[in-house]
Each structure stands twice: as structure tokens, then as C-alpha cells.
Amino acid sequence: TIGPKMLKLFNTFSLKKEDFEPFDKPTVKIFICGPTLYDYTHLGHARIFLIYDLLCRYLKSQGYTTDVLVNMTDINQNVFNKAIDQETNYATLTRFYSAEFIKDLALLNITSITRLAHVSDYVKSIVKHITFLIEHKNAYSANGNIYFDTSTAKDYGIISKQSHQQLNLHRLDIGPNKKNQEDFMLWNCSEDFGFSWSGDFGNGVPWWHIQDSTVAVENFGLHYDIHGGAKELAYPHHEAHLAQYKALTGMENPVKLWMHVGLVLSKGEKMSKSLGNMVLARDLVSKYGQNLLRLYLFSTHYRDEIDYRENDLLSKKTLLEKIYKTNNMTSDQTSKNISNLMTQFFTSFEDDLNSSKALDIFEEICSAVLENDRISKADFMKIISVLGLSI
């Protein structure tokens, strides 16, 4: 049989660990909310892509194939504002940061992404989808803007676990004549960023949530297995995404699993451009190498927050040295003891991708080998390959 005996992953949708079974075994389709193309990749972003890279490497080791789609947000207020600030063309700006993102992925040894989808290539499809939603009474026009009618979405609020009353407290996409407070915008005709696209409902800008849904539907069709991103995206972004996906496909559960990665903080605050506390992934890689960065990030469970401190990163050097030494001491076969430890290493991932436990076991393996136990080169490389280390 293909795949882990029992891979369990935590589903934000149900708030529990569930047995993971992809729709179309052995292929696992994963959608990751990608970068907004107006800056470089910071450590918080890098963590997200590294976690899904680890998941994919593990799945591949278990006989699955993975198909990973990342949407590249090049239609966005921040993008337009930066283009205006820099007196540059918006397409030039986004093409530059798109290329830089791809460089960052290479620096981080992230090889699992199979499709990068630039939102601006999908505007025709977005228009088609919005038209469909209007025709099916899931969307309406108010003051020239188009909104999604959340009252037509069964269970709206289920991902972020909010009641109708709680949802009503959010001031979302404020505009006159909206039917419900929580309705979100699909097409913005009222703001002029110096860029607009033509739709059957007037010239405007396709808004945030419909971009992802369109990219996912156009690439993956009726359903896919995992929707991933940062924890903070659960509301409103993923809530809106699910409501749209259900309306567009007529599927009750088009996404198997909602998998959210904890934030990376800097001195207790969220790492972000606006707070000016970003640590760029490329700077860390050039200073310390991607191996150390992986060991550092994987030593915390992916759902937990990380408060970044340089000393914590440096503390992983001991383990990295051990790994390098072990690499020089591999044998032509693996002892019974190490075989058992290897089984435990791979089994750790079955429990909601428990990478910190897996690293502890790997350290145990290295220590044993350094004290004259035996691991074959092939077995050692199996572990290295799942962790994505470059030896």
C-alpha cells in the first residue's frame, strides 16, 4: 500500500487531528497562499514554505506525488502603492519581486512547488467566476462594487469558529448598500489605483479573496487536498475562499484539510513590513546557511508560534556539526538499533508532522553512530532528503 499507515494532520476546520486521505491517491494537491509581490521573503513567509516543503518531502518518501500550487499576488493595494511610490510600472515591480521570490525558494532548497500562478494572468477567469456568482445569486452589486452575499453561504464562519454575531463585529470592505456587514468585496470599481481591468460589471480591480479561489479552481478543478497558509489568514481570507469555492463548484467539502502554520514573531510582535522588524530569509541563509535555518524552524511544531532570536538559531549548530560528522562515518549497512530509530523518525511525522520529535530522534541516531553504531549511506540520505538538508 502507498503512503503512511496513518498520517494524521490537524484540520483547522474540525479543530482535531484527522487521518489524511487525499481525494486522488497517490497525488496530493496542495494550495499555499503565496507572497504579495512588493517585497522580499521574510522569515515568517519562509517558515510557511519550508513547512510545506517538509510535508511534501515526507509524503514523497511514503510513495505519494505532490502537486503544489502557489498563488502570486500581484494585484493588491500594497503593490499599487509601492509602484506609485517608486514611480515605476506595476508590472515591472511585480515581475522583479516574483523573480526574487523564486531566488529565495532556491536559496532555501524548496523544490516541492510545482505551479506558480500570477493572479494578473487570471483576470478573465475571475470575471467569469464573478459573473457566475451574480447569476446564481451568491453575489450582488452595491454602488458599483460587487460583493459576495455571505448569507447564501451555509456555515459561513466555520473555519474561524465565529458566530453570526461575532462576524458582524468586523468592519469588512466597508461600503454603502451592502446587504450584510460581513459581505466581502469581489470587484472594486470605486477606488482608482491608476490600474483597472474591464469586467462585464464595469472597470475595476479584482479583490483579494476571489483571486485565490479562481487560481485554485482553474488549476485544481472541483477539489484539492490541503489549503495552507499562515494562521492569521483563517479569517477573513480562508473563510471567504471556502464560501466562494463551494458556490463555484457546488461541492460541499471541496478542500479536505485546512492546515495553518504559526506566526514568526520578532520580540513578541508579528514580523511584518509595516512594523519594520522583518528578518529577511536571504540574509539568514547567506549568514548561516539554509541547513541551520531548517533545523531551527523544524525544532518547533509548525502550529506553534516562534519568537525569533538569533541565539536560538545558533543553538542548532551543535546538531548540525553532529550531522556533518555522521555523514563522514556512514557504513555499508545499518544496525538493528538504528533501523528501529529510523522507523521512529519517520513515524514522528505521522503525528501531525511532528518535526521537533523527528529531529530529537535524528540527533539520537547521530550520537549512536558517533559512538560506533552503524548507518548506511543510503539510509542516512533518506533522512537528509526528508529534512531537505544540503550535505
Side-chain angles (χ1 to χ4, degrees):
T1 59
I2 256 182
K5 277 77 54 212
M6 276 315 225
L7 170 59
K8 283 188 182 306
L9 290 172
F10 184 87
N11 192 351
T12 311
F13 192 85
S14 63
L15 289 185
K16 58 176 195 269
K17 292 179 193 177
E18 294 179 359
D19 293 341
F20 177 66
E21 272 288 327
F23 282 109
D24 306 310
K25 223 170 171 172
T27 301
V28 180
K29 293 179 182 172
I30 301 173
F31 180 99
I32 309 173
C33 283
T36 303
L37 298 173
Y38 73 112
D39 215 330
Y40 299 103
T41 311
H42 67 59
L43 184 59
H45 302 137
R47 182 187 189 192
I48 292 166
F49 295 105
L50 283 167
I51 289 299
Y52 293 107
D53 190 59
L54 177 68
L55 175 66
C56 290
R57 287 168 178 275
Y58 169 68
L59 287 167
K60 281 177 186 162
S61 78
Q62 303 300 307
Y64 287 100
T65 49
T66 57
D67 187 356
V68 179
L69 169 67
V70 173
N71 70 311
M72 308 283 276
T73 305
D74 56 0
I75 299 179
N76 173 282
Q77 285 151 297
N78 293 330
V79 171
F80 298 146
N81 294 339
K82 184 148 186 178
I84 291 162
D85 286 348
Q86 297 197 345
E87 298 178 353
T88 181
N89 173 295
Y90 123 87
T92 310
L93 179 86
T94 55
R95 272 200 298 270
F96 172 78
Y97 283 111
S98 175
E100 295 302 309
F101 175 69
I102 291 165
K103 280 184 204 166
D104 286 337
L105 292 176
L107 286 174
L108 293 162
N109 194 26
I110 291 171
T111 56
S112 49
I113 294 169
T114 38
R115 318 179 193 206
L116 292 173
H118 290 80
V119 173
S120 56
D121 294 335
Y122 288 81
V123 177
K124 273 201 170 108
S125 303
I126 292 173
V127 170
K128 176 186 80 182
H129 288 165
I130 295 175
T131 304
F132 177 90
L133 293 172
I134 293 170
E135 284 167 358
H136 288 78
K137 305 279 187 286
N138 295 111
Y140 61 91
S141 170
N143 280 54
N145 297 325
I146 309 294
Y147 294 92
F148 187 94
D149 184 348
T150 52
S151 69
T152 66
K154 194 169 133 257
D155 297 336
Y156 189 69
I158 192 161
I159 296 178
S160 53
K161 304 291 172 279
Q162 296 182 82
S163 67
H164 185 61
Q165 287 73 15
Q166 287 169 311
L167 288 165
N168 237 321
L169 299 173
H170 297 280
R171 308 288 290 155
L172 202 62
D173 296 340
I174 298 163
N177 304 334
K178 271 173 62 173
K179 287 185 184 175
N180 316 289
Q181 182 62 47
E182 61 263 39
D183 292 353
F184 53 87
M185 198 184 283
L186 300 172
W187 190 263
N188 187 345
C189 297
S190 51
E191 289 178 84
D192 182 17
F193 300 99
F195 309 94
S196 70
W197 285 262
S198 57
D200 310 346
F201 18 78
N203 289 350
V205 178
W207 223 230
W208 186 26
H209 311 303
I210 192 68
Q211 299 178 6
D212 289 28
S213 303
T214 294
V215 164
V217 169
E218 295 297 321
N219 282 277
F220 284 159
L222 292 178
H223 50 64
Y224 56 96
D225 301 301
I226 295 174
H227 191 102
K231 228 170 224 174
E232 54 176 352
L233 293 177
Y235 181 85
H237 192 41
H238 293 166
E239 206 70 75
H241 177 81
L242 179 61
Q244 293 166 152
Y245 219 92
K246 282 159 73 163
L248 288 168
T249 60
M251 299 281 288
E252 191 46 50
N253 291 306
V255 180
K256 265 273 155 89
L257 195 109
W258 298 81
M259 186 177 168
H260 291 101
V261 177
L263 293 177
V264 173
L265 309 172
S266 177
K267 299 190 178 70
E269 290 190 298
K270 182 195 156 191
M271 197 173 279
S272 70
K273 186 179 160 54
S274 51
L275 290 171
N277 61 358
M278 295 197 321
V279 180
L280 295 185
R282 51 178 55 190
D283 294 347
L284 288 175
V285 172
S286 78
K287 201 169 171 186
Y288 301 116
Q290 74 99 17
N291 287 345
L292 197 64
L293 194 55
R294 278 184 182 250
L295 293 178
Y296 166 63
L297 291 173
F298 295 164
S299 62
T300 299
H301 192 275
Y302 76 87
R303 284 193 282 130
D304 296 334
E305 285 184 342
I306 294 179
D307 199 344
Y308 171 69
R309 288 189 179 78
E310 197 167 25
N311 283 347
D312 297 343
L313 175 70
L314 293 172
S315 71
K316 298 296 157 211
K317 275 192 163 167
T318 338
L319 172 57
L320 189 56
E321 291 303 317
K322 261 189 191 177
I323 293 170
Y324 289 147
K325 281 182 187 154
T326 308
N327 180 48
N328 295 328
M329 294 180 67
T330 54
S331 313
D332 49 2
Q333 64 203 69
T334 301
S335 72
K336 186 93 170 59
N337 171 44
I338 299 268
S339 283
N340 291 338
L341 285 172
M342 278 194 69
T343 304
Q344 290 173 39
F345 171 84
F346 283 98
T347 309
S348 308
F349 293 109
E350 290 174 20
D351 179 20
D352 195 27
L353 206 67
N354 192 342
S355 56
S356 55
K357 186 178 174 192
L359 284 182
D360 288 344
I361 294 163
F362 187 27
E363 183 154 19
E364 215 179 311
I365 290 173
C366 292
S367 300
V369 172
L370 297 176
E371 286 162 18
N372 287 330
D373 212 332
R374 294 187 319 286
I375 189 168
S376 73
K377 187 71 167 176
D379 280 347
F380 181 73
M381 290 317 290
K382 277 180 195 161
I383 295 177
I384 291 299
S385 162
V386 166
L387 295 172
L389 302 175
S390 16
I391 297 282

